[in-house]
Amino acid sequence: SAVISQKPSRDICQRGTSLTIQCQVDSQVTMMFWYRQQPGQSLTLIATANQGSEATYESGFVIDKFPISRPNLTFSTLTVSNMSPEDSSIYLCSVRRDVSYEQYFGPGTRLTVT
Amino acid sequence: GIQVEQSPPDLILQEGANSTLRCNFSDSVNNLQWFHQNPWGQLINLFYIPSGTKQNGRLSATTVATERYSLLYISSSQTTDSGVYFCAVLWDDMRFGAGTRLTVKP
């Protein structure tokens, strides 16, 4: 398995501001992902963040809005920039094991934008 | 892209009842996982099951990859089983179904 922690666990932010979410994994992993879960919805992949390369964004998500850093094999950050109420969601960090492809999720960051 | 469909969307049970949740997917996949999202939003890994059958206590799962479906069985349900159950498949990346919202009443 993998133990994943996220900070902050929740936050209430004003529109127009930015929030950086941290994700820490207890072991080295190549593949890390960021997902968004809007209220009452399923999970949507924002981007793939592999160490040593630029993050790859899914359709509908752009780097200027969701910049990602991946400085090493156990840590990543996601920034939600220039926030609006539509950004109110749970943001989840995820890792995938290199051999088995089993994927694990962090506890999530519950963001409310007012 | 791949389509992942879960049924039923909502399910209400009395404590002690059994249930079956279904996940259909539209293409061959490398991996299939079942997750339980508890009321606090945490995603709990239930099964990693690209094919075959697995059991863990009151829960079991079966994936028939050739027919592109997976089933999650919950027996003797408890109130703590309430939450949303997601099926997710690994294609080019992990794709989630819409989920089944389970409510177990005491």
Side-chain angles (χ1 to χ4, degrees):
Chain A
S1 66
V3 178
I4 305 170
S5 60
Q6 286 185 233
K7 291 181 181 180
S9 58
R10 59 176 61 230
D11 208 342
I12 300 173
C13 301
Q14 292 191 338
R15 69 175 67 207
T17 62
S18 299
L19 177 71
T20 296
I21 303 167
Q22 299 179 5
C23 175
Q24 180 76 51
V25 189
D26 67 338
S27 57
Q28 294 183 342
V29 290
T30 301
M31 305 187 77
M32 293 183 75
F33 308 89
W34 287 97
Y35 285 79
R36 181 177 75 180
Q37 186 178 27
Q38 294 177 302
Q41 303 296 310
S42 186
L43 281 75
T44 301
L45 180 64
I46 297 172
T48 300
N50 293 338
Q51 198 267 338
S53 62
E54 295 292 319
T56 304
Y57 290 83
E58 295 298 302
S59 175
F61 298 96
V62 296
I63 188 171
D64 289 346
K65 175 68 175 176
F66 297 101
I68 288 171
S69 76
R70 181 78 198 275
N72 57 52
L73 290 174
T74 63
F75 187 79
S76 178
T77 66
L78 169 75
T79 299
V80 186
S81 302
N82 189 25
M83 289 184 284
S84 67
E86 293 70 34
D87 294 319
S88 297
S89 298
I90 300 174
Y91 292 85
L92 298 106
C93 171
S94 178
V95 303
R96 183 184 304 162
R97 283 300 184 205
D98 294 344
V99 176
S100 70
Y101 300 117
E102 187 168 1
Q103 202 153 325
Y104 300 88
F105 286 81
T109 295
R110 191 179 296 268
L111 172 62
T112 302
V113 184
T114 61
Chain B
I2 194 169
Q3 304 299 314
V4 184
E5 297 180 351
Q6 291 187 241
S7 60
D10 293 280
L11 186 59
I12 300 174
L13 301 174
Q14 286 296 134
E15 202 167 25
N18 303 328
S19 62
T20 301
L21 283 58
R22 187 177 180 101
C23 173
N24 292 333
F25 44 97
S26 60
D27 203 345
S28 299
V29 297
N30 297 310
N31 175 19
L32 186 145
Q33 291 184 242
W34 284 97
F35 297 91
H36 174 215
Q37 189 169 40
N38 63 26
W40 295 272
Q42 173 75 55
L43 272 173
I44 310 297
N45 286 42
L46 296 178
F47 293 102
Y48 164 73
I49 186 165
S51 64
T53 297
K54 291 186 177 181
Q55 180 156 6
N56 184 3
R58 296 181 295 104
L59 274 60
S60 64
T62 295
T63 296
V64 184
T66 54
E67 298 187 19
R68 298 177 184 169
Y69 74 89
S70 184
L71 302 173
L72 177 68
Y73 306 96
I74 304 174
S75 64
S76 303
S77 58
Q78 301 176 357
T79 56
T80 52
D81 294 331
S82 296
V84 182
Y85 289 80
F86 288 105
C87 165
V89 301
L90 181 59
W91 193 58
D92 56 345
D93 53 62
M94 181 154 273
R95 304 283 174 169
F96 281 75
T100 292
R101 181 173 298 277
L102 174 65
T103 302
V104 181
K105 295 188 172 182

